[in-house]
Amino acid sequence: MASLTESQKRGALTHPDVSHYSEVNRDVLAMLSTPGKGWWALFGIAVLGVGLFFGSWFYQIYRGIGVSGLTSPVGWGAYITTFVFWVGIAHSGTLISAILFLFRAPWRQSVYRAAEAMTVFAVMTAGLFPLIHVGRVWNAYWLIPYPNQRFLWPNFRSPLVWDVFAVTTYFTVSAVFFYLGTIPDVAAARDQATGLRKKLYSFLAMGWQGTDREWHHFGKAYIFLAALATPLVLSVHSVVSWDFAVGIVPGWHATVFAPYFVAGAIFSGVAMVITLAVPLRKVFGLEAYLTTKHFDALAKLVLLTSLIVFYAYLTEFFMAWYSGEPPERQVFWNRLFGHYWWATWIMLVCNGMIPIMLWFKRVRHSIPALFVISIFINIGMWFERYVIIVTSLSHEYEPFAWGVYRPSMVEMGILIGSFCWFGFWFLLFTRLLPPVAIAELKEVLPAPRRGKKAQEVEA
Amino acid sequence: MDCQYCHFSAERSVDAGIPPVSTCMGCHLMIPGENQPEEITKVREYWNDREPIPWVRIHKVADHVHFPHMRHINAGMQCQECHGEIQEIGVLEEPEPTWGKGKMGWCVSCHVERDVRRDCTVCHY
Amino acid sequence: MSDGIKRRDFLKVLGISGAGAGLTGCSTEDVEKLIPYVVPPEDITPGVATWYTTVCQECAAECGMWVRTREGRAVKVEGNPSHAVSGGALCARGHSSIQGLYNPDRFTGPMRRENGALVPMTWDEAEAMLAERIQGAAGNVLLLTGQLGPTESDLFSRFLSATGGRHVEHDGLADAPLREATRIAFGRDVVPAYDFESAGMVVSFGADFLETWISPVEYGRGFARSSGEDHGSKGKFVFIGPRLSLTGQNADEWIPIPTGSEAAVALGMASHIASRGADAGPYSSVLAEYTPESAAAAAGLEANTIRDLAEAFAAATSVAVGPGQAGHHRGATAANVAVHILNAVAGNIGSTVHLTSPVQSSSSRPYGEMQVAIRAMAGGDVGVVMVRGTNPAYSLPGSSGFSEAFSEVPFKVSFASEPDETTAMADLVLPDRHFLESWGDSSPRPGVFAVQQPVMQAVPHFDTRQTGDVLLNVAARVGNALGPASTFEHVRSRWQDLHARSGSGLDFEAWWKTALKTGSVTVGAPGRQEAVALRAPDMALAFDPPSLAGEGDFTLLVYPSSRLADGRHANRPWMQELPDPISKLTWHSWVEMHPAAAEAHGLRRGDVVTVSSPEGQVTLPLFTYPGIREDAVAIAMGGGRNESGRYASGNGVNPMNLLPAVVEQPSGTLALVSTRVSVAATGERYRMATIEGSDDQSERNIAPAVALAALGHAAEEDHSEDEGHHGLQEMNLMGGFAPVETEGEAQDFPLPGSQYGEYGREGTPRWAMAIDLDKCTGCSACVVACQSENNVPFVGEQQVAMGRDHSWIRIERYYEQVDASHAGPVDVRHLPMLCQHCGNAPCEPVCPVFAAYHTPDGLNAQVYNRCVGTRYCANNCPYKVRVYNWYTYTDVPEPLQWSYNPDVTIRNTGVMEKCSFCVHRIREVQNRAALEGGRGVHEGEVTPACQQSCPAEAIVFGNIRDPESRVAEKAHNERTYKVLDELINTQPAVHYLKKVTFHEVESGGH
């Protein structure tokens, strides 16, 4: 009996039903084989949605931003809401892959690949929304600092310029991190694949042979990137929150925003991981790799962040009352009982009340329950941003200029389309790259057993 | 011959002004003889049938730029500093490329050189 | 103005290249042809504005105008400072005349109707046709016109005497009862001139002298001067009537009496004054009858209310006016007589009420004449009817039978220049010139004469001819020519006589030129006022409240709209989109009802209701308004123009269709308040196109006021300032936040530490503005002036309903105290909200591309061509004065874009814009100063459009760094405050002076 390492022991606990490396290769790479009807159906829907997405966007560019429901005083609406939503989604990926990697949390192995992919695609989606939102998208490049004959530079005091940096940086790092992590598995896939796929994987694998030397560098690089990505989890969403906190709009101008947004981001992100992992597990029969233990851990993370977020809500309301400024107070009164009361209550119930159920182990261990709850949380978090942006703007300092914003069909189309755009990439990912990290999974499995039994298994 | 003989309002208006036919005829009536270059006969025809000359615009700043000619003329600038050696150029059917002149950076650098106001609303409003 | 055709070509190019392209960026690719003159007109320099004087013809008041033309193209109208009536200002409707001139719906040329459709023809054919028909009519010619100038009315009457026929004048805004009452009471058949300026107390019995009554601009100025606080004193204004019009909202006290009891109240006051020994002449017996008690009973008031009012009225230099058009009920003449009596016993005749120098430029011809004409037409006694400058088919109630009678006439001619309801029935359309394209004159006051001269060649898109010229040609054709064949000649010949009388040393040409330059001359003005006394009435007068037709539980109040008047301005997008000063609604009609009454009927604001009278019914949305009695509903004229152009047709309803054609006796005017109506819900809702978010200040110091009594005690003032933060002070003890201290005054900009580069230069000005809210009446003239000056587009009803109203100035209207249940103080706050040009502007740091930034001379600039359209600046603007181009609103149909100001960039889609303090005007003055030997800019030399047009003289603009400037002086007035400054430290450049009330106000103004 070979003695097991610490992590292997824990790994064995999280993956009791996986007993052999070869099973991992077989099961995981099985996903990359020809897709079933279900996949094609989903992919078809996604493609249609992407059509809707760009169709609506080009229509808006052609007719003018007026086709949205945006108006005065509510100059930001569904677009910025969705932007913040997707940036938030992105965060859990990095959290799970980088931070939990540094903390050596063994249960992350089987989910982090999916989570990382989610990060990359979510940022790809989010990054489009500032472009969709501006009135003259053909001039949007002016936000990028570049030397020009006009002697003009962007205004570095503007949070929107910080955003450009934050989002682009985040995309670059998470993309590289994601790609690096896949290399050994791509190599594994390459060794099984044939034809065009083989070419593709050979290219992506960059001639990976799995030598000790390669593994050594790989490990180093991975740690460095993890360390590099970690602060981004905090910084990026703080910057996004400053888009609001820097403004003097009552309901935006609060110091709590940065931590509040980061917590919210992780909250929504982890929820989204659950939403994606459950079907993934079902469709590809990964029950052995994504066990209730994983979901239990994710659920705990959700519960924690939910509490932080709810605390932030209470802080906001308290500070509004404590500030004593009529505009501040009335904005928050208006949130609860004003024109947008329904949005606020959706937010409070979905993000504050429903997650309370996660205190119960039975709920945490029921996959369907988790799935439903995670969906509610996704909805709730979208409305959180909607409430922050729309209710504050609609009820500002100048009572005579108060107004109401109704999202238009075009905005709805782009919102729905963005989910399809995301799904489109994610579905491709499940086909082209191992959604579960083979190599890292093996690290935490018991080493191959010698002897008769083993041979039988291997045969 | 002075540019402002024809572009009559350059020193007192934002527009330099486009010469009316009467201005041309001011001289060309004085020049007798039938064998005139064909450009001149054209001008005479316009004059005779009381038609304005459809001049071709070769210098144009964008509509969101306000360029007050008189401020520059009265600051002692020469037309050529912006318009190039325009007197050397013969007939132009097409708008000429302005050799990077008329671009904002070029305006700004001149304003910087002469240390005159250069905040945006000097030209853009 | 020679070589028209050439100029038009030239203009076309400038019209398009100057105003069409907008933010298309630098492009030298497209070949563009420039069309100059053949022979240049001496008075035009390209790029330099030329100004012409003329006379506004939008209403009977005939204000003197200055018209700004560029390259021979009228781009803006302004008041003529040297004119007796306008005194430099202009009303919103006056400003809109530019859109009348360039209206895309104008007729393109003479047309005749062939089986229903209008077919073009030449002027020659048209005149021949008319001449022939007139000969055929054998003297039965009927000419219907609106208000006419002296020369024209003379011309027309001579025409009619030549061809035989009758002339009837009809004006929807005419105030015949006033004129008739003046004849009865004083034996003078005139419309008196009222001197509001020197009146210490104004009492209006429903006369809307700030909106539509006689001479709004002149009276608005006078009223503002009288009621505006100055050195601790201000005139008082009491409004007596069933509904608060805009005029009423400017009152200090409101006595909401039922319609028809004006006479009783006026007489009650008069009799109280008379009982103190004033002489009521032949009316003593009447006054003995109408004691304050009986009056109180009639009006449902306390007798003491009337007594106190009467005493205050007698004590002060006072003036009483009314009831005005909105009060034209069956007893209107009697009510006017009663008001005259009141003025007489209070000794106002000759001091504030002038009968010997009356208002000549006011339409006061009764509907009675029209009634006769209608009978004649119906009876087939009219062979040819010609309509000019009036639209009876719309502005008369259907029950008057005008349309039926009109269609009886075999040959109907219309001189209308754009489609209207009457023209829709005409057989021949001979489009008249717009008044900015034609000759005429006016004599608003005895001895005051003004020339109405064309300010540009006729707009080339429309082949029009001045009606006077047409009639002259026709007269010549029918064989009795009336002298020279152009109105111009006739105007000149009249003025030659005038010149002879003037005794001026100048020869005629010189005198004529000065007349054209200055816009008006004075010839033989009456000397000192002769005393005029009351005389016995030559007929029996019934002072009792008149009866109303119909059942219903509401009295229907139909009043002239302050935007559309009687509907004549309805096809002008600026007027349609100008928020009504009362309801803040645009484009569509509404019915006003008191909130309590609405609740009783289970109605909410925005419900679509059916208002029905015995004569008919209309369906329109409901607007709840605390400024109207619970037993009345009100609908403005001007909606429901169904045969008009693209901007008017289909918007709103025409309340005239609810009215019986009741003729008020003895003046013979059409009674506008004569029926009761019932209101029923339809169950539908209407998304109203309003700019109003909330009419409550919600505990903010947006538009505070100060009681007159509290003025002069600066110490207490400061104390009361803090009370806005009282709650905060308490919380400081608990470790809460203290209010932000303002770090700098406007003149301190840029703040220490930010004075780099150009920002540190010596002697750069800091442009600032001061707005006196005690003078501002909310008339909205500035709003339209700004639109006209800055190429601010109109966006249409659907966009406004979404909240995308686009104007750079928003007149905010907050109710503090409006109560229709009893007599008492009224307190409505009007606040023109425009970009505050903050020294510490929240919009600037958040713009990612420096499109919003601060200029060294303290302007908060918006660089359109740099704007990317993130809208962060608008979100972060606490005043919400930034407006966004959601679409390209500036593509307007030909030739409307001719009205664009070539000095201001046209904005396209996706660009943020806002008030620029008329930066182009500042630059223009700076350029001029530089040309004049680099002199500095004088105080008062730069005038933004809003200040220029303000009839109330409420706005002051200038360099606040110059301690001598008026704006600097205003900035240190004890009433001065800056909106929201103490809350968010924006350090605005716009200083407001608090409204002053006679009643006590909570500090902070709420």
Side-chain angles (χ1 to χ4, degrees), chain C residues 253-275:
Chain C
E253 200 176 326
W254 180 27
I255 305 181
I257 61 169
T259 318
S261 52
E262 298 93 352
V265 176
L267 291 173
M269 289 169 66
S271 85
H272 183 72
I273 298 170
S275 68

Side-chain angles (χ1 to χ4, degrees), chain A residues 68 70 158 243 330 398 406, chain C residues 687 700 804 812 846 872:
Chain A
S68 71
L70 294 166
S158 169
D243 286 348
Q330 288 173 19
E398 199 73 15
R406 298 179 181 80
Chain C
R687 187 174 180 185
R700 294 135 157 97
R804 294 173 176 178
E812 304 195 338
V846 298
Y872 200 166

Side-chain angles (χ1 to χ4, degrees), chain C residues 232-233 290 300 327 341 412 519 607 641 694 739 762:
Chain C
S233 74
Y290 283 88
I341 296 169
K412 305 173 283 296
D607 285 351
R641 289 288 309 276
S694 162
E762 279 308 308

Side-chain angles (χ1 to χ4, degrees), chain C residues 553-554 592-604 622 624-625 628-633 679:
Chain C
D553 21 12
F554 295 100
E592 287 169 13
M593 185 189 281
H594 191 279
E599 201 177 356
H601 286 67
L603 296 169
R604 286 185 304 140
L622 179 95
T624 50
Y625 177 40
I628 185 169
R629 283 178 60 93
E630 294 188 22
D631 59 4
V633 294
V679 179

